[in-house]
Structure formats: C-alpha cells, structure tokens
Amino acid sequence: MARPPTALLLAAAAALVLLGAASAARTGPSDPSSPAAWQRLQNGLRLKTSPNNVKALQWFQDRHGDGGDERDRPVYVAVKYEVPPSLHDEFIDKWLRLDKSLGRADGLDFYQLTKTANDNTEFWSYTEWDSFDDLVDFSESRDRQDFQDFVDDSDVLVEAFPLEPAGDLKREYRADREGEKVAAAARAAHARDLERRRRRREGDETEDEDPRETSAHVAVQFHVPPSVRDDFEDTFEDVQERVVQDENDNRFYVLRRFATLNHHYVLRGGWDSLDAYLDHVTSKTFRGLREFADKNDIEWHAEPFRVLASSEDGDE
C-alpha cells in the first residue's frame, strides 16, 4: 500500500537531516559553508515538516551545503506565521522584544514584520542578509531562540520561503535614491511615523486617524509562467524605473521570486499615504504591468498589509 504524503514528507525531512549530519562529519564544523552551517540554520529555525519547509531546507542545502558556492551572496527570506487571533497581542509583544536584537544583528540590511489586512491569522517577516553565515548566526541567538520557544509552545504554524532578487536592486528603497525631493519626503514621513508610534506607546488611540494620511503598503503576488519570466522581469524594471523617477512618495518597490517555486513572484510596495498609493495603482505606469499580465495569462493578487516593525525604525 502506498505511503501517505505526510509520511513521505517526514522521510524527506529526516533524509535531509541525515545528509547534513553525514556531510558535516566529512567537512568538519569549522567551515561556515559546510552542511554544519546549514544544519545549524535548521536547528535555529526549527521548521516543522510541511511541503514548503521541506523545499526551503532543500534549497538552503543545495546552495549553502556541501559544495554550495553561494556562501557570500545575499540571502532573502520570508516567513509566514499563522497566529490564532487570541494570541495576536502576545505574538507582537514577543516580536518587539526580538526586534531589538534584529536592530543589532550583523549583516542584516533590512527587515519587516507585517500583518496582512484581509485575514485575522497571517503575519509575515521579511529579512535581507548580507550572507548565509549572518542568517545562521542570528538564528542561533538567545533572543531568536526565546521567540521560537514561544512560537513552538503556542502551536503557531511557521513556513519559510527563500527568495531570489529580481528587478534593479539599486532602485528598490527610497533611502538609496538620489534627489532632494526624495530626501525631504523621507524625512517628513519618518517624522509622522515617529509621532504615531509615540502616541501608541502612550496609549493614545489612533482609530480616528485619516487613513489617507498614513502610510500604505501592498503585496502583489504574480503567478508567472516560466516561459515569460524574463519578459516579466524586464517589464517590471521599466515600471520600477518610472516609479523611482516620478513617485517621490514611494518608500520601496521590491520584486522577489520565490526560490522554491518556478512561477511565483511577490512585489512589495510602500507609499507615504493612501492617496500616493492610489495614484500609483491608477497610473499609466502600473497599468502597463497589468496589461502585460493580462496579455500573458499571468494571475495576480494584491493584498494590503500593515508594517508592525521595521529596520526603518532604527533611529527612533
């Protein structure tokens, strides 16, 4: 009788662990790019068996395990947490404790904790690391393990997704862009964010805030057939260039491809206000990307999200 899929996944995960352990014995733990480092990451993240987690672990093993040549390349990781509504406040509180360590982590260029707006369970973390070694080192830190203890004890479901960069990396974040208008918009937006966080800390309710005056963020997922991936990325870069040139209120415009899937991209965008975001989605710039998607049978799904913590808050 055929074994059930769960058993196969458990067997695959066990095989990956054994492979990592055996290879570590051959190469020795002193080599940061050896499977010992990959196994340290597995132990640090404590990913439970799921199809996506098995794929993620295999991807890390292939690129950063025995014979992998990507030790010094940047690493991008998204992690989804499915948190029961009754635990939301405690989950955020635990993350904010971890947030202090993230702000001091070596090799961490950018991070966010976000909450999707169209459901009452999903939180996402997103991190950009200078190297795999930096990710491994932080995964083993005391604060990260304390957070993981809470996640495990609370039966929070966790799935990890390694990401590949797409688009023009030099145009992704406003902080990296030139121009006095851009710099002035960034300073003004940061001042507004600091004031909102100050009011929250002091217990001042913010339900009466005009949403048009608060920052707006959206994640757009694209399911792109492999045959048009190159054309899709070229089209995105054209759109990204116009966003950088014409939209001073844009904070970031980032495209990533899910490394463990051959068709899945996510575009993450942030603007200083809802009006600025609406101007973008109704503009000729974004219409060009939608028309390309329609022409090539690319499915896309947009979902707004709230940023709960970010490396952009580091100078608060």
Side-chain angles (χ1 to χ4, degrees):
M1 185 172 68
R3 299 175 70 184
T6 300
L8 289 174
L9 290 172
L10 289 171
L16 288 174
V17 173
L18 292 174
L19 175 61
S23 298
R26 291 194 303 269
T27 59
S30 61
D31 180 3
S33 65
S34 74
W38 165 81
Q39 194 169 7
R40 285 169 54 205
L41 177 66
Q42 180 180 343
N43 293 337
L45 296 180
R46 292 192 239 165
L47 295 177
K48 297 180 180 179
T49 301
S50 76
N52 286 322
N53 286 342
V54 169
K55 290 179 181 179
L57 291 172
Q58 183 64 64
W59 186 88
F60 281 119
Q61 165 69 354
D62 289 344
R63 284 159 181 73
H64 304 285
D66 190 17
D69 59 357
E70 299 189 6
R71 167 185 165 190
D72 295 327
R73 285 187 57 189
V75 177
Y76 310 93
V77 184
V79 180
K80 179 175 73 173
Y81 301 91
E82 294 188 18
V83 184
S86 61
L87 290 178
H88 282 193
D89 289 344
E90 189 173 5
F91 177 84
I92 294 172
D93 180 64
K94 296 293 185 182
W95 179 275
L96 291 178
R97 296 181 189 180
L98 177 65
D99 184 70
K100 297 178 181 179
S101 294
L102 281 165
R104 301 188 300 266
D106 291 336
L108 180 58
D109 292 330
F110 184 86
Y111 70 88
Q112 283 183 339
L113 176 70
T114 66
K115 175 70 188 74
T116 51
N118 294 333
D119 63 74
N120 67 342
T121 58
E122 289 187 8
F123 291 75
W124 286 82
S125 69
Y126 172 75
T127 53
E128 299 182 354
W129 301 89
D130 286 340
S131 71
F132 180 70
D133 293 345
D134 293 321
L135 171 60
V136 170
D137 289 343
F138 183 76
S139 73
E140 296 181 314
S141 67
R142 181 66 265 169
D143 288 344
R144 177 65 178 79
Q145 289 302 299
D146 287 345
F147 176 76
Q148 190 60 46
D149 287 341
F150 164 75
V151 167
D152 290 344
D153 293 343
S154 303
D155 290 329
V156 172
L157 299 179
V158 180
E159 288 191 300
F161 301 88
L163 305 171
E164 294 277 14
D168 188 339
L169 302 185
K170 296 180 180 179
R171 298 176 180 269
E172 293 181 338
Y173 295 101
R174 182 167 62 189
D176 298 328
R177 302 171 190 165
E178 297 179 353
E180 179 54 34
K181 287 185 178 180
V182 173
R187 289 193 297 269
H190 186 61
R192 292 194 297 269
D193 289 345
L194 289 178
E195 176 61 19
R196 281 193 290 269
R197 287 195 294 275
R198 183 193 63 78
R199 292 201 301 266
R200 285 199 297 269
R201 286 198 306 270
E202 296 176 356
D204 185 11
E205 297 296 330
T206 58
E207 280 80 358
D208 294 333
E209 286 184 333
D210 188 336
R212 292 170 300 180
E213 297 178 356
T214 61
S215 55
H217 305 89
V218 66
V220 186
Q221 297 187 29
F222 296 91
H223 296 178
V224 183
S227 60
V228 296
R229 268 175 37 183
D230 290 344
D231 290 339
F232 172 76
E233 292 187 16
D234 289 343
T235 300
F236 170 81
E237 286 199 23
D238 291 340
V239 172
Q240 186 182 38
E241 181 178 4
R242 291 197 293 272
V243 168
V244 171
Q245 291 177 348
D246 302 334
E247 300 183 22
N248 291 326
D249 289 338
N250 174 258
R251 296 186 173 190
F252 55 88
Y253 207 73
V254 177
L255 184 67
R256 297 286 182 261
R257 181 174 63 83
F258 282 69
T260 53
L261 302 170
N262 69 350
H263 66 284
H264 200 154
Y265 288 78
V266 60
L267 163 61
R268 298 169 58 256
W271 289 262
D272 289 338
S273 67
L274 180 61
D275 282 342
Y277 163 66
L278 293 176
D279 287 343
H280 170 75
V281 297
T282 57
S283 68
K284 183 178 179 181
T285 296
F286 189 66
R287 186 165 66 245
L289 189 59
R290 295 203 314 268
E291 290 174 350
F292 178 87
D294 292 343
K295 180 180 178 181
N296 292 278
D297 288 332
I298 295 173
E299 298 179 15
W300 60 272
H301 311 269
E303 185 164 28
F305 62 84
R306 291 186 298 125
V307 176
L308 302 177
S310 173
S311 53
E312 293 178 320
D313 303 341
D315 54 350
E316 179 179 352

